[in-house]
Amino acid sequence: MSEENTTERLDFVRTIVAGDNKTGKWGGKVITRFPPEPNGFLHIGHAKSICLNFGIATEFSGVCNLRFDDTNPTKEEQEYVDSIIEDVKWLGWEFGDGPLFASDYFKQMYDYAIELIKKGKAYVCDLTAEETREYRGTLTESGKDSPHRDRSVEENLDLFEKMKKGDFPDGSKTLKAKIDMASPNLNMRDPVMYRILHATHHRTGDNWCVYPMYDWAHGIEDSIEGITHSICTLEFENHRPLYDWFLDQLGIHHPQQIEFARLALTYTVMSKRKLLELVEDGLVNGWDDPRMPSLSGLRRRGFSPEAIRNFCKTIGVNKFNSTIDLALLEHCLREDLNKTSPRVMAVLRPLKVVIDNYPDGQVEELDAINNPNDESAGTRKVPFSKVIYIEQEDFMEEPPKKFFRLAPGREVRLRYAYFIICTDVVKDENGNVVELHCTYDPATKGGDAPDGRKVKATLHWVSDEKALNAEIRLYDHLFTKENPSDTKENHDFKSNINSNSLEVLTNCKVEPSLACAKPLDRFQFERLGYFCLDYDSSDGKLVFNRTAILRDTWAKLQKAQKKKS
RNA sequence: UGGGGAAUAGUGUAAUUGGUAGCACGAGUGACUCUGAAUCACUUAGUCGGGGUUCAAGUCCCUGUUCCCCAGCCA
């Protein structure tokens, strides 16, 4: 650890790791793992776990394994494996030897199971799933022993062998650990270690007819890999005694399980089930819909890996459930994008402006700064001509007090171009403003007035002559409530969906430099927000996603005024 | 009503293990500004309740309250 880090306060997990390093508990080694089940896509909540595990490994000169917990072939698919690998890499983490798989340890697990049977610590049980539930008892009443609990070792060995070979139908038998049916911890009431599943596994094919349960498999996986700190979420706290029990019975390398609280965010849901429901019900357009908290969705929305990693660092880690304000995620996003995004000009809702005293047919190439926060980003040329577009909301015929922008008779600056004064307003038959006439001051070329006069506003604009058309997708919170689960009776979280979370603008004008943008390229559209090019773009058709808006004091003012009246 | 966890400004998170409750986000005010952005300055607001020990308690003791997790052959 660097000197800077030693003064930094450690979260409770890192405190444990640092303490172990100090006492030499693991011989100075730190090995963690991120163990997703390949049955769905990763989301921002997983990012918290990923950054914790990979982050700790990095900070303590250790390693972190990406290991797929693929012990349930009925739910898992290669597609998910691929996307998870992509997402972890995109976040910027490296997992040395490539991805690992629990299924690679099936034989070892099987041998360990036989060892437990021989020790009289496991038995084959013929109880059905329903009977098992009955025998387990309840939270307040202890369970009762299975009638098969005292089978001989030989019989258990024989039966288990046959289970493995596929001699019995699914659900007819299980292998259970012989622990304590009276334990107040239900996980210790003879938990199932293996179930019979005649299913094809995405990696082991039809080699196995029995598959290990999580509790049995996970500790062994950790043990085999020499994991030192097995970091998982809070709901596994009740499982720790079982994790410990299996490893103790086997007498093998015994990592320390540490539990932390999973991430919750306002205005969104995080469970795989609910996310899947949004996709299947067509409430969003797939897992990578830019409104989704999935990593693929955030990526498509325009999030940078740095922003997400920084967010994960900022939120910390603890042992109690908390809900993080989405505003914090957005802050981390803007913080990074502000530093890294090239500025360009784009007009979302164009209002045509004719500059009456500008020469017909003339096009000037004006210098514009690519990133005021990064001199090395250089400059570019933007074309200016007689007809331009400005934002509709940058003009008001009857401006209220604090409105600084264009109005009849008022002078404003066009960014990097000229000062203009509005001389005339053209309306359609419904009274809507459809066109403005202005005059410009040639002496203000570039945006500065030689006489030193000031204007209160600077507007972004795009030249009609060279403008590119674009479709721009504006996104808002997926849900109308901070907590989507806060519903009326008989309604579920989907009743809180924000029906205005997507607005598609098709008549947008963007500056010509955007012609060579590639999908996922990020930009700041000046005065509007951060945007990124969507995959849906094709030659001649630009589609942008709005990643985030810029902070907007004027909008805030308006909102406050509206509230007052 | 069994067991396992947890409670610090609106939100999130620290507090050298008993010694001035700090930081970030948000909100507000002002400065600056060729982005009403960014930046900078300032302001706002907190130890779940009640007892106790102590010169001194977020921290230790007692007690109460509230919240989360567990009865898959899911992970």
Side-chain angles (χ1 to χ4, degrees):
Chain A
M1 287 209 320
S2 70
E3 214 166 299
E4 197 180 314
N5 276 342
T6 51
T7 59
E8 227 171 74
R9 282 166 188 122
L10 301 179
D11 58 64
F12 85 99
V13 182
R14 277 175 247 252
T15 302
I16 293 171
V17 175
D20 288 347
N21 265 4
K22 208 170 183 182
T23 61
K25 181 177 177 184
W26 305 109
K29 271 193 297 190
V30 174
I31 307 176
T32 57
R33 100 268 96 110
F34 173 63
E37 182 188 14
N39 71 341
F41 298 96
L42 259 29
H43 53 63
I44 182 85
H46 294 110
K48 178 180 181 182
S49 176
I50 291 168
C51 292
L52 220 210
N53 279 294
F54 282 91
I56 284 175
T58 307
E59 290 155 31
F60 291 91
S61 312
V63 293
C64 178
N65 296 339
L66 171 62
R67 180 180 72 226
F68 289 94
D69 215 353
D70 55 348
T71 57
N72 186 352
T74 64
K75 291 190 174 175
E76 295 152 7
E77 291 170 29
Q78 185 61 39
E79 178 196 2
Y80 296 124
V81 172
D82 298 337
S83 86
I84 288 168
I85 291 173
E86 183 190 358
D87 287 346
V88 173
K89 281 185 176 166
W90 176 71
L91 271 182
W93 301 108
E94 286 175 21
F95 36 95
D97 300 335
L100 271 16
F101 295 86
S103 52
D104 287 343
Y105 314 140
F106 280 172
K107 175 67 169 69
Q108 178 68 264
M109 291 176 195
Y110 180 78
D111 291 342
Y112 280 143
I114 287 172
E115 201 177 315
L116 279 204
I117 292 172
K118 286 180 176 164
K119 283 183 173 170
K121 299 288 186 183
Y123 63 96
V124 172
C125 181
D126 300 354
L127 256 28
T128 64
E130 198 179 323
E131 287 164 338
T132 294
R133 194 182 329 126
E134 285 163 13
Y135 274 75
R136 184 155 37 224
T138 68
L139 292 177
T140 51
E141 296 162 53
S142 69
K144 56 186 179 191
D145 288 356
S146 160
H148 317 287
R149 204 172 196 256
D150 293 315
R151 282 211 247 242
S152 69
V153 168
E154 291 67 32
E155 191 184 1
N156 279 324
L157 252 18
D158 177 57
L159 256 17
F160 185 48
E161 164 78 16
K162 286 176 174 154
M163 280 168 64
K164 176 198 149 197
K165 284 195 319 204
D167 290 356
F168 306 119
D170 287 4
S172 60
K173 283 178 170 41
T174 57
L175 183 74
K176 289 178 178 170
K178 191 190 284 189
I179 308 180
D180 178 9
M181 292 306 291
S183 171
N185 182 344
L186 305 213
N187 295 122
M188 301 299 275
R189 321 242 260 229
D190 288 13
V192 173
M193 296 165 61
Y194 276 96
R195 76 283 215 189
I196 300 171
L197 246 33
H198 292 263
T200 302
H201 186 279
H202 65 101
R203 300 191 80 243
T204 60
D206 296 320
N207 293 353
W208 296 87
C209 297
V210 289
Y211 289 92
M213 297 287 291
Y214 168 86
D215 288 306
W216 169 243
H218 204 85
I220 298 175
E221 295 162 24
D222 285 345
S223 186
I224 289 171
E225 294 176 11
I227 301 299
T228 55
H229 304 271
S230 178
I231 302 166
C232 61
T233 46
L234 245 32
E235 68 269 28
F236 291 103
E237 221 156 9
N238 294 323
H239 295 245
R240 182 163 18 102
L242 182 52
Y243 181 97
D244 291 338
W245 189 89
F246 279 133
L247 261 16
D248 286 343
Q249 296 305 318
L250 261 16
I252 56 180
H253 171 74
H254 189 153
Q256 179 181 2
Q257 177 176 305
I258 304 166
E259 309 87 7
F260 72 98
R262 61 169 73 238
L263 170 69
L265 262 183
T266 56
Y267 297 108
T268 193
V269 292
M270 213 67 95
S271 86
K272 276 183 197 171
R273 196 205 94 227
K274 288 179 179 172
L275 259 12
L276 181 65
E277 232 175 296
L278 294 176
V279 173
E280 287 182 339
D281 292 2
L283 268 9
V284 295
N285 303 313
W287 276 93
D288 64 347
D289 186 301
R291 290 166 293 181
M292 292 281 274
S294 56
L295 293 181
S296 54
L298 295 173
R299 178 165 57 231
R300 190 172 178 184
R301 173 79 169 255
F303 276 70
S304 61
E306 290 75 16
I308 293 176
R309 276 195 267 124
N310 209 12
F311 170 72
C312 291
K313 195 186 283 177
T314 305
I315 59 177
V317 34
N318 236 320
K319 279 188 81 91
F320 49 92
N321 297 309
S322 56
T323 304
I324 296 189
D325 196 335
L326 192 60
L328 184 59
L329 213 209
E330 289 172 348
H331 164 79
C332 294
L333 213 212
R334 292 196 188 100
E335 190 179 43
D336 180 60
L337 263 27
N338 178 46
K339 280 186 296 195
T340 56
S341 299
R343 318 283 131 125
V344 294
M345 290 197 284
V347 175
L348 263 34
R349 298 176 179 87
L351 173 59
K352 187 176 178 184
V353 174
V354 180
I355 308 196
D356 291 322
N357 61 338
Y358 194 83
D360 288 335
Q362 176 174 310
V363 175
E364 285 179 281
E365 297 284 332
L366 303 169
D367 290 311
I369 293 163
N370 286 333
N371 189 340
N373 298 318
D374 177 10
E375 210 173 309
S376 71
T379 62
R380 70 186 185 288
K381 298 284 187 187
V382 287
F384 184 81
S385 59
K386 186 182 182 79
V387 178
I388 61 162
Y389 297 100
I390 65 167
E391 209 68 59
Q392 283 170 22
E393 62 174 27
D394 281 341
F395 172 81
M396 281 185 102
E397 198 173 13
E398 291 166 22
K401 259 199 296 284
K402 299 244 174 134
F403 185 85
F404 304 151
R405 283 108 99 144
L406 196 60
R410 188 182 285 179
E411 184 170 53
V412 299
R413 170 171 36 236
L414 294 175
R415 181 141 232 227
Y416 300 125
Y418 295 98
F419 285 13
I420 57 169
I421 295 177
C422 176
T423 54
D424 198 15
V425 181
V426 181
K427 297 184 195 177
D428 64 13
E429 60 272 21
N430 298 318
N432 299 317
V433 177
V434 292
E435 188 178 311
L436 260 29
H437 284 264
C438 295
T439 58
Y440 84 117
D441 176 359
T444 58
K445 182 173 180 178
D448 284 308
D451 62 2
R453 75 181 187 276
K454 300 280 184 202
V455 287
K456 287 195 93 169
T458 299
L459 309 188
H460 61 275
W461 54 274
V462 172
S463 148
D464 173 55
E465 191 88 11
K466 304 280 185 175
L468 266 24
N469 288 311
E471 172 181 321
I472 299 183
R473 300 170 181 170
L474 309 181
Y475 301 102
D476 195 1
H477 299 157
L478 231 193
F479 292 91
T480 54
K481 286 196 174 164
E482 279 197 16
N483 176 10
S485 302
D486 175 15
T487 56
K488 280 182 248 157
E489 240 181 291
N490 301 321
H491 289 263
D492 72 353
F493 73 102
K494 287 178 291 185
S495 65
N496 285 325
I497 201 109
N498 177 10
S499 52
N500 300 316
S501 59
L502 169 63
E503 184 181 358
V504 180
L505 267 24
T506 52
N507 188 32
C508 312
K509 305 288 182 185
V510 304
E511 65 167 71
S513 71
L514 253 11
C516 46
K518 296 185 297 296
L520 262 31
D521 279 355
R522 295 183 277 263
F523 303 92
Q524 186 199 95
F525 290 0
E526 294 218 32
R527 303 210 305 133
L528 295 174
Y530 298 98
F531 293 77
C532 100
L533 195 72
D534 192 80
Y535 311 123
D536 286 348
S537 301
S538 54
D539 284 347
K541 190 196 174 197
L542 293 171
V543 178
F544 288 94
N545 295 313
R546 185 173 68 190
T547 312
I549 56 171
L550 253 27
R551 285 187 63 204
D552 189 345
T553 317
W554 166 239
K556 213 181 272 179
L557 247 174
Q558 276 180 307
K559 225 179 184 176
Q561 275 170 356
K562 214 183 245 178
K563 227 177 178 180
K564 250 185 228 167
S565 61

